[in-house]
Amino acid sequence: NQRRRWASCSPATGEIRLSTRLRNVPDWVLDAVLVHELAHLHVVEHSPEFHALADRHPRQADAELFLDGYQLGLGIAEEERASGID
């Protein structure tokens, strides 16, 4: 389980890990998280190039808002929320 992140990616191996906390999210949110992590296979840092690629998912911004609210509902501390998807 990922305690501080929703997911992470290891570009060197192509491995993507998902938090078990995502098991109850809508499919479109999970899809957006996966697209975000897949984008890391091409661009490691959160640069404009990365966001241009990850934001090709039509509901990426909606998913980020959903996850922000979901974390609040789960009672996750403010400092942990700052960790985000990766």
Side-chain angles (χ1 to χ4, degrees):
N1 187 30
Q2 305 253 350
R3 295 185 191 276
R4 296 184 179 262
R5 300 174 186 228
W6 294 113
S8 63
C9 175
S10 295
T13 64
E15 182 179 38
I16 293 174
R17 292 164 302 282
L18 300 174
S19 171
T20 58
R21 293 178 291 140
L22 291 171
R23 67 179 164 253
N24 295 319
V25 302
D27 289 345
W28 61 269
V29 174
L30 186 56
D31 290 347
V33 171
L34 288 170
V35 167
H36 179 102
E37 298 307 325
L38 287 168
H40 279 303
L41 296 178
H42 297 284
V43 182
V44 176
E45 68 283 345
H46 289 115
S47 65
E49 180 185 5
F50 167 83
H51 286 290
L53 185 58
D55 291 348
R56 292 170 79 180
H57 185 281
R59 296 193 71 186
Q60 190 69 33
D62 294 338
E64 290 177 19
L65 288 172
F66 178 95
L67 291 172
D68 285 346
Y70 191 49
Q71 281 186 308
L72 286 172
L74 292 173
I76 296 171
E78 183 73 28
E79 62 274 4
E80 292 180 6
R81 278 202 327 252
S83 297
I85 292 175
D86 329 286

